[in-house]
Structure formats: structure tokens, C-alpha cells
Amino acid sequence: MSIWIIAFTTVVLNSWGAYQVQNAIWANEAQVISGCITDHKTVKSNSREETFFVSGIKFKYNDYATKQYFFANREHETFIQNGQCVTIVYLSKYGNGILKIDKV
């Protein structure tokens, strides 16, 4: 029975997080920044966490699950690398969670 409680709690928490992100978007809390990627680093463990800076703002995500935000599967090539210029739509209120990233 405890497995069902854990599963239910996980679903509720994930749904609540998605709800909060959706409300932040509707409230126009998303910010946009453009610049070139610097200090890109990868830390490998069970998943691969990546961090980088754009115009002095730190972003991070991993290739397994990044809550309700951006996801990049590293089994496929991405453009996230030092020197690549990008535009990022993100939520600073939620740890600079990336909503969208485009090459410039």
C-alpha cells in the first residue's frame, strides 16, 4: 500500500509544480535574455547535469529530468556549447528554469 502513497504523492507534487509554472507564464513572469554561452560544464552521475552562463545568468538542467522545464537528451547532439549564441526564455522565480532556448 505504501507504494501507492508514494506514487500518488509524486503525481500530486509534479502536477502542483506544473501548475505553478503555468501560472507564472500566464502572469508574464517569464524573462528573455540573449547572449553567448560561457563556462559550460557537464557533471556525469546517474544522469548528466549541465550548467552554463548567458550574460552572467547561470542555467542548469540534466538529461534525465528537469522538472517542468527544458530537457535535452544528450544522446542526440545539441547546440548548447561554449561560444554558441542563444536566446533563452526562462523563469527566474523558479531557479532560472529554461522554458525555451533558440540559437541566434
Side-chain angles (χ1 to χ4, degrees):
M1 183 164 167
S2 64
I3 189 83
W4 294 110
I5 292 171
I6 293 169
F8 176 76
T9 303
T10 301
V11 168
V12 168
L13 292 176
N14 285 341
S15 296
W16 176 249
Y19 172 78
Q20 289 179 307
V21 168
Q22 189 174 43
N23 280 345
I25 293 167
W26 286 339
N28 291 319
E29 294 177 4
Q31 297 177 299
V32 178
I33 191 165
S34 292
C36 298
I37 294 172
T38 61
D39 203 24
H40 177 255
K41 294 181 182 166
T42 301
V43 176
K44 294 180 184 179
S45 57
N46 289 340
S47 62
R48 180 188 307 212
E49 182 174 279
E50 299 194 31
T51 61
F52 61 92
F53 287 82
V54 173
S55 298
I57 297 177
K58 183 178 182 178
F59 296 95
K60 71 178 182 177
Y61 67 92
N62 70 44
D63 66 354
Y64 181 71
T66 306
K67 297 189 180 185
Q68 306 80 351
Y69 312 113
F70 176 76
F71 173 80
N73 186 332
R74 279 306 190 169
E75 291 183 14
H76 302 76
E77 293 215 15
T78 70
F79 56 83
I80 298 173
Q81 54 190 317
N82 284 322
Q84 176 63 60
C85 296
V86 294
T87 296
I88 300 177
V89 179
Y90 69 101
L91 292 170
S92 62
K93 183 177 178 179
Y94 294 95
N96 296 336
I98 300 169
L99 298 174
K100 181 179 179 184
I101 182 168
D102 290 314
K103 285 198 280 187
V104 177

